[in-house]
Amino acid sequence: MTFPERALATRITLLMLGIGLIMAFAGHDIGFRLQGAVVVAATLATLVVLFLIRTQPEPSPQELTYYYDAPIKAGIYLSLIWAVLGMFVGVWVALLLAYPELTFDYAWSSLGRLRPVHTSGVIFGFGGNALIATSFHVVQRTSRTRLPDQLSPWFVLLGFNLFCLVAATGYLLGITQSKEYAEPEWYADIWLVIVWVTYLVLYLRTLARRQEPHIYVANWYYLAFILVVAVLHIINNLAVPVSLLGSKSYSLFAGVQDAMTQWWYGHNAVAFFLTAGFLGMLYYYLPKRAERPIYSYRMSIISFWGITFMYMWAGSHHLHYTALPQWVQTLGVTFSVMLIVPSWGSAGNALLTLNGAWHKVRDDATLRFMMVAAVFYGISTFEGSFMAIRPVNSLSHYTDWTIGHVHAGVLGWVSFIVFGTFYSLVPWIWHRQRMYSLFLIEVHFWLAISGTIIYLIAMWNAGITQGIMWRTYNESGTLTYSFLESFVAMHPYYVARAFGGFLFLIGAVLAFYNIVMTVRHMPIEREVNKDIPVGLMPVQSGEATA
Amino acid sequence: MSVSERDKYTGHMTTGHEWNGIKELNTPVPLVLLVFLSAAFLFALGYWILMPAWPLGDTYTKGTLGFDQRQHLAKQIEKNDSEQSRWIDPLVQLDFDAIQGNSQLMAIVDESGPALFEDNCAMCHGSDGDGGRYFPKLNDTSWLWGSDPNVILQTLAVGINSTHPDTRIAIMPGFGAAGVLSAEVIENLVAYVQSISSSHNTSIEQANMAGKEAYSMYCAGCHANDGTGNSVVGAPNLTDDYWVYGGDTTALTATLTHGRKGHMPAWDKRLSLSERRILTLYVLSLNQSVVTGDKP
């Protein structure tokens, strides 16, 4: 960072420290005070780092004409830390369902508090950091330009992680809005809006500086992810705090409107956070790794607009057979069914891109991660459209099938594309010949795929068994099974699910180890990076050339 | 600048653009994708015509099938109710002796009782009616309020120490906490009560004569002179081997010192009369199975 940027960074951090201190000392409830303490601790740590780097020289003009990779490297590490943490908690909550005594009688370790730590930890912590880091990488490379400044990427990355940290610690304290994937309370939400708008502006500024005439398809997806998540987050979190010094707030919506807003948000979080962003990742790293051209530019266009347009209507399929008016449910069903076509268009485009490179898929576990990701993307989008049909939903809704479906997406698709990407990206930006251990990548691949399949088979069985037990009637027309019996019947599946998740966690730990060892022990080789250099335009200018 | 080239492997032309080494082919959209897209849209179109679909200001298109999920649900409930009335009506109208003598009705009790019990009662009384500390065992032969089905039905309806206006009330006073009995007297009482219970092998010793005196003065009013309890006020039998709150010295001392006030919710608003009657007979059958199970 330049000296003026460091000065501004210090001022922003001090401002945040002040807010943290007010929260910690003037807060009306203990939860809010402890959240303030988290902010204070995080900002103090940032101030220490800023103090330590105060004497480092400013980046040379030569450095300023190269891509800015430091925040990408930090983002990869943060993503991996959250992955291990979030997946560990995931295995814990999975075990809790089979062995409830594993709360050890603490309030913070109850299922209701740990579960959002798992979901937010992996979706936002692991997935979000991976998206931010790779978006910085992809937008620079495909625009042949450096990020416009050094401060905003750090503000976005660290600000986002502060949000994740406040969210996760808040859950443990029992602070929640009780909205799926939108649990953090109003103060964390406002902070995320500031961070996210900075992210959007940063991304647009970088695109505006691009040295390529066209915007590459990966950037469409990243931009859709950033823009739509901002809209979703702001609208679903509209709420009135009870006090500006307290953690509790009340949603602006009530009843079925609240439910519909929540699931419009919830489903589009899946669409634009867990799908669009990671499709951006797929569209860069898969062709790059396979060294093949994208199969069809035209399919990219159809799929992109199909996905962005149709997903927006699909959220109501989470509320079939509820107080939600039936016409809204109908729109949810029909758009969900139509959505299968652009989704398979994307998956097919990715797999057809591998034509001519299948021998690499066989030999290279990294590329195989990406190939499997595309396959699971196809599987889980088909499953999603299928489950959105009302009669299917009447069996699957409220059962573990839904959990299985989500994990087909996040394990099979999202995690696989992230790990494939990281194994490609780490040697590129750290200028290493290859990853530290190709054998460990292979081991990770097989652990991850076995874990995913065990998990999915367990949850499909569990969900369908539950659905059928809940709707089995005696000849007299009364229920055959109590809820308790259906729960007891889940035990073997819950144990299997925890085992599958455990295998997946081990794989993530191996990835972390492998990446750290690559950075620490593999020799630096400058010529490894074959990136086309930044365009010749002066860095300070914000104008794009056509 | 942009120069298209032919991809050697697929034979398709590239678009001529390149981003850090990535190129794109200008492959036409496969026909199969367009066919699927059209098919999916036609499915949606048909669905919109048949079903309630698009909003029109303060109303919406009703669909040509005239389907409405609320009406559909109401019809299903009505159909189920009319089918069930063949056994619900006699179950509600007949007295318990007549129901117990009717094998068809008892088959329905056997069929429907377990799920009802597990969904509503098992969280306190256990899925087999085994009870637990603070929650009475239901699959034995001792009944706090008696084993008459009508009495059990009444308990189910109004609860015990509940918010129902006609609730059953059963309170064991806290003799020690209220200053009525000293710790020494309580100690004697505990020893005496244990001596009359079949759960303890202690005999009535000389020292317990003091306990016996205190018993007849403070306890016999509810628990009867011989300790067999009084089902009219829900006072437990102390001579058997079953204890709701524990029969060891610590637990009994706590009971005598601080008293006990159990709680059972009223179910008349949450379960229908037929469901409460099924549960009554089911709970009694738990008891029977234990009796027959003990004497194979």
Side-chain angles (χ1 to χ4, degrees), chain A residues 157-170:
Chain A
L157 183 71
L158 298 180
F160 179 73
N161 280 278
L162 176 62
F163 164 79
C164 293
L165 188 66
V166 167
T169 51

Side-chain angles (χ1 to χ4, degrees), chain A residues 97 396 398-405 458-460 462-464 466 470 490 494 497:
Chain A
L97 283 166
S396 75
Y398 310 114
T399 73
D400 282 306
W401 188 356
T402 308
I403 320 299
H405 168 57
M459 287 299 96
W460 284 330
I464 291 171
Q466 279 172 322
W470 294 344
M490 291 306 104
Y494 285 171
R497 178 251 294 269

Side-chain angles (χ1 to χ4, degrees), chain A residues 157-349:
Chain A
L157 183 71
L158 298 180
F160 179 73
N161 280 278
L162 176 62
F163 164 79
C164 293
L165 188 66
V166 167
T169 51
Y171 306 151
L172 295 178
L173 293 164
I175 296 170
T176 172
Q177 291 192 122
S178 305
K179 285 190 164 203
E180 181 91 352
Y181 310 137
E183 291 92 350
E185 271 289 355
W186 63 275
Y187 47 92
D189 291 336
I190 291 174
W191 173 244
L192 185 62
V193 171
I194 297 168
V195 169
W196 212 259
V197 170
T198 311
Y199 187 20
L200 177 63
V201 171
L202 170 65
Y203 209 82
L204 290 172
R205 281 164 71 208
T206 314
L207 283 177
R209 293 157 50 89
R210 74 183 184 280
Q211 298 295 302
E212 294 284 355
H214 291 262
I215 298 176
Y216 181 56
V217 51
N219 291 313
W220 311 345
Y221 279 107
Y222 279 119
L223 197 56
F225 145 66
I226 300 168
L227 182 69
V228 178
V229 166
V231 174
L232 298 169
H233 173 74
I234 291 171
I235 294 179
N236 189 41
N237 285 302
L238 289 173
V240 184
V242 174
S243 152
L244 289 178
L245 292 169
S247 53
K248 184 80 197 117
S249 71
Y250 287 94
S251 173
L252 214 58
F253 307 101
V256 76
Q257 283 90 353
D258 184 52
M260 187 60 247
T261 310
Q262 157 58 27
W263 282 110
W264 167 78
Y265 164 90
H267 197 73
N268 285 302
V270 174
F272 289 89
F273 205 103
L274 292 172
T275 304
F278 292 96
L279 279 172
M281 213 182 267
L282 177 85
Y283 264 107
Y284 182 83
Y285 296 96
L286 181 118
K288 194 81 185 150
R289 183 82 188 183
E291 294 174 317
R292 289 288 305 155
I294 291 291
Y295 176 72
S296 170
Y297 168 65
R298 292 155 191 262
M299 267 167 90
S300 307
I301 295 179
I302 285 204
S303 301
F304 176 79
W305 288 109
I307 286 171
T308 42
F309 176 69
M310 289 176 188
Y311 254 118
M312 276 291 160
W313 299 76
S316 57
H317 70 222
H318 289 258
L319 297 166
H320 282 340
Y321 301 100
T322 65
L324 189 75
Q326 199 185 342
W327 61 266
V328 194
Q329 300 178 29
T330 296
L331 294 177
V333 174
T334 49
F335 278 95
S336 303
V337 169
M338 287 192 279
L339 199 45
I340 186 71
V341 183
S343 300
W344 275 23
S346 294
N349 208 5

